[in-house]
């Protein structure tokens, strides 16, 4: 019997899976894995863990959207070293000389800029009435006093006026030692002038007014104490 290269009893051989198909499937699987990796990387970059974006508040039509206001250290911790507290004399009760405080002249009541002014009348210039005084208690709470002096006279608008600020410091015996803290002698109705004084540690502040004519008033615009 002719020898055909097969042993007796050997059955027909099984067909082998083509190597090309296996390679194509492996390549396809690798491509899928690569695409998934890109998607995951993009997601992690857009929405990192712990830093997901908070969606903007929505509201029904016609309703306002409430946005939380930013809070500063000053709003939660009181006055910071860079801020000062202001007390206007117009909001304080005078300690002495209350009767010397009068209303703003009628012709100025509708004018802007006098909302926080105090008005001190001129003395009568009689022998026993040469100086008008108004006193405020400080109790060592403030550092500086500032105001703008604006004289006003009925008969002669350019009449002269002297305004002085005295500060009283507590002495060892319990009394007060007074000193001049500031002066303003040049101010006129047309050219108001500033006046200021250092009041740190002082117990009282006294404003003294002298006038060339008795029919005038000293208007102290924005007279304020600063802590």
């Amino acid at each position: 019997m002719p020898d055909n290269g097969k042993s007796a009893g050997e059955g027909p051989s099984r067909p082998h899976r083509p190597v090309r198909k296996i390679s194509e499937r492996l390549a396809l699987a690798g491509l899928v894995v690569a695409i998934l990796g890109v998607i995951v990387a993009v997601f992690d970059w857009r929405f990192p863990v712990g830093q997901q974006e908070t969606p903007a508040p929505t509201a029904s039509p016609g309703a306002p959207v409430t946005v939380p206001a930013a809070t500063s250290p000053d709003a939660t911790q009181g006055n910071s070293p860079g801020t000062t507290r202001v007390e206007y004399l117009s909001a304080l009760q005078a300690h002495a000389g209350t009767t010397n405080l009068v209303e703003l002249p009628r012709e100025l009541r509708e004018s802007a800029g006098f909302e926080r002014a105090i008005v001190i009348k001129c003395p009568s210039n009689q022998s026993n009435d040469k100086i008008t005084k108004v006193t405020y208690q400080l109790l060592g709470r403030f550092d500086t006093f500032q105001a703008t002096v604006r004289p006003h006279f009925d008969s002669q608008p350019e009449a002269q006026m002297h305004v002085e600020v005295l500060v009283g410091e507590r002495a060892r015996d319990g009394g007060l030692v007074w000193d001049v803290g500031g002066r303003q002698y040049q101010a006129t109705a047309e050219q108001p002038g500033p006046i200021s004084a250092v009041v740190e540690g002082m117990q009282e502040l006294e404003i003294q007014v002298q006038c060339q004519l008795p029919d005038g008033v000293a208007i102290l615009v924005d007279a304020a104490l600063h802590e």
Side-chain angles (χ1 to χ4, degrees), residues 133-193:
K133 303 177 183 179
V134 180
T135 305
Y136 294 86
Q137 283 192 322
L138 306 181
L139 304 178
R141 294 172 48 206
F142 303 96
D143 296 328
T144 58
F145 167 79
Q146 292 180 340
T148 299
V149 177
R150 200 274 196 190
H152 177 86
F153 290 95
D154 293 331
S155 58
Q156 296 183 24
E158 297 303 317
Q160 293 183 348
M161 176 179 292
H162 291 179
V163 178
E164 291 187 349
V165 174
L166 276 65
V167 291
E169 185 176 12
R170 186 72 66 190
R172 292 183 179 180
D173 60 1
L176 292 179
V177 178
W178 292 93
D179 193 9
V180 177
R183 298 182 175 92
Q184 177 52 253
Y185 294 168
Q186 306 300 321
T188 64
E190 295 297 326
Q191 294 183 342

Side-chain angles (χ1 to χ4, degrees), residues 120-123 130-132 161-163 207-211 218:
I120 304 174
K121 68 179 182 180
C122 287
K130 296 289 187 181
I131 299 176
T132 303
M161 176 179 292
H162 291 179
V163 178
I207 303 171
Q208 296 188 357
V209 177
Q210 300 179 63
C211 302

